[in-house]
Amino acid sequence: MECPTTLDFTEALKDSPRFRKQLHDHEQYFSKLETKLNEVLRLVTAMVEYGQNYVATFYNVTSAMSELSKESFSYDPLTVGAFASIADAYTEVVNFHKILIEQAHWSIHKNINAFLKYEIGKVHETRQHFEQLSASLDEALGRKAAIPRHKTAEVAESKNALTAVGTCFAHTALDYVAQVNVTHARKNHEILDAFSSFLRACRTFFDQGQTFFTGWSTIENGVIGDSID
């Protein structure tokens, strides 16, 4: 999946066989890239769904533990206080995980999906225009070639039509090349930033967890420790 060489605007105006070959290589590259990115989106979606189920189940465990404390240990205030401290810690952990899972969606899924929609989508859209104008140019060339030379009026009319179509094709070819080059220029940092932003969210997740448990350890060694002892 090597990146093809940069498209040249001069070759685009010539519409040379070399340009068509390079264009095909770029189209193949973007097609494979799109497939890979869609696979990433599918996996991130699954990860978010599993994560949401994990958070919901973890929350249910916290609720069940609180109910257990109230119903089965209400006679012992010290134990009830220990359970409450654990429940508070569980709640914080649940919130940390919830934020991390949301970041997986917003950082990776949303950004890569935006790249596919706005960048790869523009390549597909410009390609369609290019292919339409290319077909129109071939038709105009065929019509001009089929008109006998002695029919000067029809020859002149077909020549004007061919010139108009050729001009539109040249503009579309340049637009296509520009869009391909722009998408190549954007893909590296936009895709890299999507994955990097989630890694920053992971770092924040662990930093916040460490900060919380550093302060919570005092309570753990106090109320909970005394209750267990």
Side-chain angles (χ1 to χ4, degrees):
M1 195 175 166
E2 295 182 1
C3 185
T5 56
T6 303
L7 291 172
D8 184 75
F9 288 99
T10 303
E11 290 292 330
L13 291 175
K14 294 178 181 178
D15 194 26
S16 62
R18 178 185 177 185
F19 169 70
R20 291 293 180 133
K21 172 61 170 61
Q22 289 178 328
L23 206 56
H24 176 73
D25 292 341
H26 283 275
E27 291 168 354
Q28 290 290 102
Y29 175 86
F30 281 125
S31 178
K32 292 179 180 179
L33 177 63
E34 186 176 17
T35 299
K36 292 293 183 181
L37 291 178
N38 279 318
E39 175 67 10
V40 169
L41 292 182
R42 185 186 67 80
L43 292 172
V44 171
T45 298
M47 181 175 70
V48 170
E49 291 177 353
Y50 293 144
Q52 290 172 340
N53 290 334
Y54 170 77
V55 167
T57 305
F58 201 155
Y59 179 79
N60 290 337
V61 169
T62 304
S63 299
M65 188 190 66
S66 297
E67 293 176 2
L68 172 68
S69 170
K70 294 177 183 178
E71 294 177 3
S72 302
F73 297 94
S74 58
Y75 62 89
D76 185 353
L78 188 61
T79 301
V80 171
F83 270 114
S85 296
I86 295 176
D88 290 341
Y90 279 7
T91 300
E92 289 296 324
V93 174
V94 168
N95 289 333
F96 291 154
H97 278 96
K98 181 179 179 182
I99 294 173
L100 179 64
I101 292 164
E102 290 174 350
Q103 287 299 316
H105 171 76
W106 288 103
S107 58
I108 299 180
H109 192 284
K110 183 180 178 182
N111 290 335
I112 289 182
N113 191 55
F115 176 80
L116 287 170
K117 181 178 179 181
Y118 296 110
E119 296 302 330
I120 301 294
K122 288 180 182 177
V123 172
H124 291 326
E125 182 180 351
T126 312
R127 175 185 176 183
Q128 290 178 352
H129 291 313
F130 175 81
E131 291 177 346
Q132 291 172 357
L133 265 297
S134 179
S136 298
L137 182 61
D138 290 340
E139 292 176 3
L141 286 169
R143 286 195 298 269
K144 184 177 182 300
I147 299 175
R149 293 186 177 182
H150 65 274
K151 295 184 178 181
T152 55
E154 293 184 23
V155 169
E157 182 179 351
S158 64
K159 182 179 180 180
N160 292 334
L162 179 60
T163 301
V165 174
T167 301
C168 291
F169 173 79
H171 285 296
T172 303
L174 293 177
D175 288 342
Y176 191 16
V177 170
Q179 186 57 56
V180 167
N181 290 340
V182 166
T183 302
H184 276 299
R186 289 180 179 272
K187 73 179 187 301
N188 287 15
H189 65 271
E190 291 196 8
I191 295 174
L192 188 61
D193 184 59
F195 289 104
S196 178
S197 61
F198 181 59
L199 187 59
R200 292 193 295 270
C202 291
R203 183 183 64 188
T204 300
F205 168 78
F206 287 107
D207 287 342
Q208 289 176 335
Q210 182 183 27
T211 300
F212 171 75
F213 280 105
T214 298
W216 190 79
S217 61
T218 303
I219 301 176
E220 178 188 18
N221 293 330
V223 176
I224 299 177
D226 290 344
S227 178
I228 294 175
D229 289 342

